[in-house]
Amino acid sequence: MRTYACAVSEPDTGAELQAFRRAAHALVDGVADHLAALPSRPVWQPLPDAVRERLLDLPLPERAATLDDLVATALRDVLPHAMGNGHPAFFGWVNPPPSAAGIAASLAAAAMNPSVVAGDHADVHVERTVVRWLAELVGFPHAPGGGLLTSGGSAATIVCLAGARGRALAAVGHDVRRDGLAGAPRLVAYVPAEAHSCVRRALELLGLGSGSMREVPLDAGRLDAVALRASIAADRAGGAVPALLVGSAGTVNTGAIDPLDALADVAIAEGLWFHVDGAYGGFGVLDPAIADRFRGMERADSLALDPHKWLGVPVDAGCALVQRGDDLRDAFSLIPPYLRQDTGAPIGTFAEYGPEQTRPFRALKTWATIAARGRAGLAAQVARASRLARELAALIEGEPELELAAPPETSIVAFRARPVSCPRARLDDLNHALPEAVQARGRAFVTGTVFDGRETLRACILHPDTGSEHLATLVSEVVATARELARA
Ligand SMILES: Cc1ncc(COP(=O)(O)O)c(C=O)c1O
């Protein structure tokens, strides 16, 4: 029998693991201290120049650092300088704090480090369950293969619209996977003006072009179905192929819910793929006070959700749900021999339903976040946020130097400042400058947008610890800052 010399030295796993255990304990303690201190610190502050420079100019290390050193550096130079969304007075964009369960689960998922594609390992089964849970949470029909986790709402939208594109072109005998778009008829997408930019980006990436978009005629949240159907008929008469209709279950600017039921009716009557963007607001359906407004979402061909928004799953965690998993499989499945994996089930591997081959274990933190609160706990959290949004709207209406831009439907409140000392002609400039000026003061964080053609502030309430006191702080900070800007 031949023997082979082995050049690899025995790893000192005992010492390595001991070092890991010590450093990880210190990290957990440091993270817990950081979380505990957040509410008493400024919401956000610019980095001190020295820290920014230290981070930017880090030289590539030649020699190994100890884990203890890495933990100390991360706790000193990184954690204290976050974007602010851990603070209950953070109202910016659509960024909640991470759930504690999700933070803990992230460590376990990293320790496993699987590629979640197929096979009889726990991560694959947990993702299947989590996708089903997400569908159940929002009342979307689900069969195995009817969705997958993605990096976020934008990626989920690309996945869903790839399904829509493939189905529409297959119906006219065009094989887009083989032939690309060369020789294909022009597809048309009907998209509300307030839809998130990720829809346009998906259409651009999929080769449909932003020129394929027609605006859905909505007036104060009501669909003019006659006008929409006339526009569809005109496109058909012109030789184009109406393919896609989009609705938002919570717009990013004002949190408005499009008339999903009426949109679903048109999509079904016209044979269009109906896609609902529920990335921000889809989980709003858990609030019994507004659940009715989401009727029709369950009839969508596809639904984009973002557990990393309202649910507070640590980034990244998006989800694409579809009625027919085969629409995604037809769009994405590609199995070269070196990737064959016999799943033993009629549904394919996760890699056959989306663009990622190596896939991270997003499901564990999502599973943990949902399980740590339960459906009832999440529903209470969602309902509370929308209640707070109504409370904030009432505060704004009671403040003569502010005005509501739109009544809140979910947990986003869009509003403007109008300090008495500011001439009307300067109000747009003032509201444009206002969010950053408020952010710089460090007591509340709000961001801006353009709504109805005017500069507007939007406050998005997602933090489970946000309370009336934080709403009051936001209002007084915005009013005080607006007065300062008006004086300047
Ligand atoms: C309504 C809506 N759709 C889609 C997205 C995009 O999601 P993501 O940032 O996870 O890609 C967002 C993000 O804020 C959103 O609010």
Side-chain angles (χ1 to χ4, degrees):
M1 191 175 146
R2 287 177 65 178
T3 54
Y4 295 90
C6 180
V8 180
S9 64
E10 279 292 300
D12 184 2
T13 49
E16 250 176 53
L17 271 180
Q18 246 181 357
F20 168 74
R21 202 181 288 277
R22 191 180 56 243
H25 276 292
L27 182 64
V28 169
D29 283 340
V31 166
D33 290 346
H34 160 78
L35 293 174
L38 275 179
S40 55
R41 297 182 43 155
V43 182
W44 170 83
Q45 275 188 321
L47 262 70
D49 291 344
V51 176
R52 189 184 310 105
E53 277 158 27
R54 216 165 37 235
L55 293 173
L56 279 173
D57 298 341
L58 278 176
L60 174 67
E62 180 64 25
R63 299 192 187 287
T66 66
L67 278 187
D68 294 336
D69 284 346
L70 298 182
V71 166
T73 305
L75 292 178
R76 188 193 62 222
D77 285 350
V78 181
L79 257 80
H81 307 292
M83 71 182 273
N85 48 331
H87 196 287
F90 182 91
F91 299 95
W93 303 292
V94 192
N95 295 103
S99 73
I103 299 171
S106 298
L107 177 63
M112 289 175 73
N113 200 32
S115 176
V116 189
V117 176
D120 194 19
H121 26 107
D123 45 277
V124 173
H125 305 310
V126 174
E127 178 158 342
R128 296 247 179 254
T129 291
V130 159
V131 171
R132 173 172 55 78
W133 280 8
L134 291 168
E136 285 176 13
L137 270 177
V138 299
F140 194 78
H142 182 70
L148 77 173
L149 298 184
T150 63
S151 63
S154 302
T157 304
I158 293 168
V159 168
C160 294
L161 300 201
R165 181 186 69 168
R167 195 177 83 184
L169 288 176
V172 294
H174 184 89
D175 183 346
V176 69
R177 294 194 55 182
R178 189 190 59 208
D179 300 330
L181 290 171
R186 184 84 201 243
L187 299 184
V188 184
Y190 303 87
V191 182
E194 281 292 307
H196 191 273
S197 57
C198 71
V199 172
R200 173 177 169 171
R201 191 196 284 147
L203 292 171
E204 289 175 359
L205 280 173
L206 291 165
L208 274 62
S210 54
S212 71
M213 290 165 66
R214 304 270 185 281
E215 189 173 322
V216 171
L218 288 173
D219 185 18
R222 294 177 66 85
L223 173 69
D224 185 343
V226 174
L228 176 58
R229 296 193 69 170
S231 161
I232 294 167
D235 285 323
R236 269 205 187 100
V241 174
L244 172 73
L245 178 57
V246 173
S248 300
T251 60
V252 65
N253 272 344
T254 66
I257 305 157
D258 287 341
L260 303 176
D261 220 25
L263 290 168
D265 286 344
V266 173
I268 289 166
E270 296 286 348
L272 307 187
W273 178 292
F274 181 35
H275 172 74
V276 172
D277 178 356
Y280 151 63
F283 296 106
V285 72
L286 287 165
D287 177 359
I290 55 170
D292 249 19
R293 298 276 291 105
F294 292 80
R295 200 177 313 120
M297 186 161 79
E298 75 290 348
R299 288 197 283 156
D301 293 278
S302 57
L303 172 63
L305 293 173
D306 252 349
H308 70 200
K309 290 193 164 66
W310 215 333
L311 299 191
V313 175
V315 172
D316 63 1
C319 181
L321 294 175
V322 289
Q323 298 275 356
R324 292 165 299 276
D326 279 351
D327 286 328
L328 297 187
R329 202 172 183 184
D330 290 347
F332 291 102
S333 178
L334 187 63
I335 314 175
Y338 48 83
L339 290 175
R340 272 192 310 243
Q341 247 178 313
D342 185 7
T343 65
I347 50 169
T349 74
F350 279 117
E352 288 180 79
Y353 293 77
E356 291 176 305
Q357 183 59 50
T358 300
R359 302 179 68 254
F361 193 3
R362 301 179 176 109
L364 196 64
K365 59 192 176 182
T366 312
W367 164 80
T369 301
I370 296 173
R373 301 213 176 114
R375 200 208 63 83
L378 291 174
Q381 179 188 325
V382 163
R384 181 174 181 279
S386 291
R387 236 185 0 261
L388 282 170
R390 294 192 288 276
E391 189 180 322
L392 176 59
L395 288 180
I396 289 165
E397 286 195 300
E399 171 51 66
E401 293 192 303
L402 299 179
E403 64 182 4
L404 265 187
E409 291 186 44
T410 46
S411 77
I412 293 176
V413 184
F415 63 107
R416 302 184 184 102
R418 49 172 189 199
V420 279
S421 54
C422 182
R424 282 185 78 82
R426 270 194 59 215
L427 277 179
D428 235 24
D429 286 346
L430 179 134
N431 279 287
H432 180 81
L434 192 48
E436 278 190 21
V438 171
Q439 292 164 17
R441 292 160 62 107
R443 286 191 278 273
F445 194 109
V446 67
T447 49
T449 186
V450 173
F451 177 66
D452 259 355
R454 293 168 64 192
E455 290 291 336
T456 303
L457 281 70
R458 52 180 291 293
C460 180
I461 301 170
L462 295 175
H463 200 306
D465 297 339
T466 298
S468 303
E469 68 278 23
H470 303 107
L471 306 182
T473 302
L474 174 67
V475 167
S476 64
E477 283 296 294
V478 170
V479 169
T481 315
R483 283 181 190 156
E484 257 175 34
L485 289 176
R487 273 197 303 273

